[in-house]
Amino acid sequence: MYDRLVRIGSLAAAATAVLTVVNARTAPVIAPRRAAAAAREWDRAQEQERVTVCIPARDEAERLPDLLADLLAQRTAASLTVLVLDDDSTDGTADVARSTAAGDPRVRVATRRSDGADGVGKSMTCIDLGQRALEETDPTVVVFVDADVRLTPDALDAAVSCLRALDTTFLSPWPGQVAVTAAERLVQPLLSWSWSVSLYVRGANRGRRPSMGVANGQFLVMDAAAYRAVGGHRVTRGAVADDLTLVREFRRRGFPTAVGYGGRVATCRMYDDAAQVWAGHGKWLWSQFGRGPVAVGVGALVSAIWLIPPTGLLASSAITRRWAATGYVAGVVSRVVSRRAEGSPDSLARDVVTSSWHPASILVGTALAVSSDRGRRRGTLTWKSRVLDTRR
C-alpha cells in the first residue's frame, strides 16, 4: 500500500510539474514594452486612459515613501491620480505621505471615513478608497496597490496595456515575492506556485467560474466601469481575503478576470521575519481550504502528492526509491519553474536551493493552515493590532 501511494503521488507531482511548465509558457506575463513600434501604439492608447491608483495604508510610514516615489516616476502617457488613505495609523503615515508628495497635484492624501459598519481587516479602507476613486477622479482604470510593493517605471503602463490587450476587466499582475529570511523563503514562493500547479491559467482566465478566479491584492488593475458595476469593494466588507472575494464577485457578475506573472514590473516583500510570516498568513489561510472534511481532504491530497513520495527515498525497495526520487524532483521542478515565471527577484541558483526545500515548505504551509483554522475557531487572529472577527 505504501509503495503504491509513493508511486501515485509521484505521478501526480510529475503531472503538476508539466502543468507548471505549460503555464510558464502560456500564461500572461506583464512586462515593459519591448519594441519602438509597440511603444508608440501603447502611448496612443494610454493617452485615452485616466488611471487612479489607490493605496490603503495603515502604519506604513516606513514603506510608503518608496512606493510613492515609484508612482511619481512612472513613464506613462495616461492621466495619473494617486489616492492614499490613512487607516487610523499611529506612526504618522498621512504626514509622511504628504511630505513625500511635496505638493505634487497628482497625489491626494486623506484619512478613512467610517460609516459605523463593521468590517474585517483592510476591507473597510478599500471600500472607502474605491468610492473616492469613482466619485472624485472619473477614472477609466482603478488600480489598488499595497504600500510594500515596489514598481518599475513602466509598471502601470505595462499593466494597463495588458488589461486592455487581454480584453479583460480585472487583472492581477502577481508581484515577484521578495524572500530574504529562511522563513520567507520557505513560505512566500508557495503563493504563486499554488495556482501554477493547480490551474491551467490560460483556460481559467477565459472562463467565468468564480472558484477559478485568482488574485493578489498587492497589485490589482480593474476597468473602472466594471468595478463600478460590481459595487466596488463593498462585497469584501466581511472578507479576510478581500482580493479573492472581489475577483469572484467580478466573475459571478459575468465579468472576465485574469491573473498573470507580474514580477518583471512589481515586487513585494510582505513580511520581515518568521513571526510576521506566521501571523500574516495565519489571518487568512483558514478561508482558502474549507472547513471540516473539506480541509482534511485538501490536507490529505497535498500530503499524498508532495510529502509522502519523498519519504520513499528511505525505503528498502529500489523501485520505490526511484519513484520517490521522481516525485521529489517533480516538486522541486514545479517550484523552480513557477518562481522563474513569476519573475523572481532572486538568482536562478538561489531559487534552485530554496526549491529543494519543497517538502519542508509543504509541512510549514500545512502547519500554518491548521494554526489559522484554530485561530479562526477561537477568535484569536489579529493583524496590525486589530482583532479579526472570523467566527461567523
Side-chain angles (χ1 to χ4, degrees):
M1 178 64 178
Y2 172 73
D3 292 347
R4 182 177 298 177
L5 281 176
V6 171
R7 185 179 307 172
I8 293 173
S10 296
L11 285 171
T16 62
V18 171
L19 178 59
T20 306
V21 172
V22 171
N23 283 331
R25 295 180 63 86
T26 62
V29 174
I30 297 83
R33 61 184 72 177
R34 295 183 182 276
R40 288 193 296 271
E41 185 65 30
W42 284 15
D43 277 340
R44 285 193 291 271
Q46 293 289 322
E47 287 174 359
Q48 309 301 317
E49 301 285 7
R50 300 180 301 278
V51 180
T52 298
V53 179
C54 301
I55 307 173
R58 176 172 170 81
D59 293 336
E60 297 288 2
E62 183 176 344
R63 305 192 203 195
L64 188 56
D66 290 334
L67 173 60
L68 286 175
D70 290 345
L71 287 167
L72 296 179
Q74 289 297 297
R75 293 191 290 254
T76 177
S79 172
L80 177 63
T81 302
V82 179
L83 301 182
V84 180
L85 191 56
D86 179 14
D87 181 15
D88 196 26
S89 297
T90 60
D91 64 352
T93 291
D95 292 336
V96 168
R98 293 188 184 96
S99 176
T100 302
D104 192 309
R106 293 175 293 177
V107 180
R108 307 180 189 182
V109 183
T111 54
R112 182 167 77 83
R113 58 193 181 207
S114 174
D115 60 5
D118 292 330
V120 175
K122 70 176 185 181
S123 62
M124 298 303 294
T125 305
C126 290
I127 291 171
D128 195 340
L129 261 173
Q131 290 175 339
R132 290 173 185 266
L134 295 175
E135 294 170 3
E136 301 173 8
T137 67
D138 187 31
T140 59
V141 175
V142 176
V143 175
F144 275 76
V145 61
D146 284 352
D148 49 8
V149 171
R150 299 301 309 275
L151 301 173
T152 69
D154 299 299
L156 291 182
D157 182 77
V160 173
S161 295
C162 187
L163 177 83
R164 299 310 189 195
L166 293 174
D167 194 24
T168 191
T169 62
F170 180 114
L171 175 66
S172 178
W174 199 281
Q177 300 300 304
V178 178
V180 179
T181 65
E184 295 170 84
R185 293 172 67 191
L186 276 170
V187 176
Q188 296 308 104
L190 291 177
L191 298 179
S192 63
W193 172 85
S194 64
W195 52 267
S196 294
V197 298
S198 59
L199 285 178
Y200 171 47
V201 175
R202 190 171 180 179
N205 284 347
R206 290 173 176 170
R208 298 290 190 277
R209 184 178 297 178
S211 62
M212 296 294 183
V214 177
N216 184 337
Q218 296 167 357
F219 191 13
L220 300 177
V221 183
M222 296 168 285
D223 175 77
Y227 182 65
R228 186 188 299 275
V230 302
H233 268 76
R234 283 201 295 271
V235 70
T236 71
R237 183 180 297 274
V240 174
D242 53 281
D243 43 12
L244 291 178
T245 301
L246 185 61
V247 71
R248 289 168 182 171
E249 181 67 12
F250 267 74
R251 288 181 160 233
R252 273 191 289 269
R253 299 292 192 92
F255 291 107
T257 75
V259 64
Y261 297 111
R264 291 157 185 80
V265 297
T267 58
C268 179
R269 186 179 183 189
M270 294 176 67
Y271 310 120
D272 296 334
D273 53 38
Q276 287 188 12
V277 169
W278 194 266
H281 289 296
K283 76 179 187 290
W284 65 273
L285 273 175
W286 64 268
S287 66
Q288 303 309 300
F289 301 105
R291 304 177 188 179
V294 175
V296 172
V298 171
L301 181 62
V302 168
S303 297
I305 297 176
W306 291 290
L307 287 183
I308 292 178
T311 66
L313 292 170
L314 303 177
S316 58
S317 167
I319 294 177
T320 299
R321 290 199 300 272
R322 284 196 291 271
W323 276 110
T326 298
Y328 170 71
V329 170
V332 173
V333 168
S334 69
R335 275 282 294 273
V336 173
V337 171
S338 68
R339 184 71 168 149
R340 302 313 293 177
E342 174 189 307
S344 170
D346 289 334
S347 67
L348 174 59
R350 184 178 175 89
D351 279 335
V352 169
V353 171
T354 298
S355 298
S356 70
W357 307 345
H358 187 57
S361 292
I362 296 298
L363 276 174
V364 172
T366 302
L368 267 170
V370 171
S371 176
S372 177
D373 188 63
R374 183 185 299 116
R376 174 194 64 80
R377 288 185 281 106
R378 295 178 177 177
T380 58
L381 299 179
T382 63
W383 185 244
K384 291 194 173 182
S385 73
R386 285 176 171 163
V387 175
L388 303 178
D389 180 12
T390 56
R391 291 180 294 180
R392 303 180 189 214

